[in-house]
Amino acid sequence: MTTLAKRLHILSATLLTLFAFANDAMAWGNDGHKIICEIAMRRVSAESRIEIARLMSTDQDFTSFAEACTWADHPRKRAAEHFLNLPRDELPPDFLDTDLSNRRHSW
């Protein structure tokens, strides 16, 4: 066995061992997203906090900004807001030509 082959064999065995014992994806999860959102809320301007509070008051599912930051991790909970399913052959023709770079969200 050549030196390169030995190194690849060791690397493969090491990676296989690491993946075999990895039980979680080491993702942030709900707690991580809530913490980041709390930090963000503390860092935004007073005007932004007021607007966030206003928007949160219109939401029926979440009572705090930190709680709302977890919605994307639960796509089935609010599926209509998480993704949009369109048939591949029925995409509106002007959709791909629309420049969305200057758009602001209205919600």
Side-chain angles (χ1 to χ4, degrees):
M1 195 180 276
T2 66
T3 305
L4 178 60
K6 287 180 185 179
R7 287 183 181 172
L8 287 174
H9 183 72
I10 292 170
L11 177 63
S12 298
T14 303
L15 290 174
L16 181 62
T17 303
L18 288 174
F19 289 132
F21 292 105
N23 59 356
D24 290 328
M26 302 266 184
W28 289 8
N30 286 344
D31 291 338
H33 283 111
K34 289 177 188 179
I35 291 167
I36 294 300
C37 286
E38 277 299 320
I39 292 169
M41 184 63 111
R42 293 176 187 190
R43 296 187 55 102
V44 299
S45 68
E47 291 173 344
S48 294
R49 277 194 294 279
I50 291 169
E51 182 63 12
I52 291 168
R54 185 190 70 74
L55 291 170
M56 291 304 307
S57 70
T58 66
D59 192 278
Q60 297 174 2
D61 295 329
F62 300 109
T63 57
S64 72
F65 181 59
E67 288 291 326
C69 289
T70 64
W71 77 268
D73 289 334
H74 306 283
R76 297 185 196 286
K77 190 173 187 179
R78 292 173 75 149
E81 297 174 11
H82 191 76
F83 54 83
L84 176 64
N85 285 330
L86 294 174
R88 292 179 192 260
D89 59 347
E90 291 185 28
L91 193 63
D94 63 340
F95 183 79
L96 296 176
D97 297 329
T98 304
D99 179 15
L100 301 176
S101 62
N102 294 324
R103 280 221 180 145
R104 295 188 60 151
H105 296 293
S106 59
W107 59 85

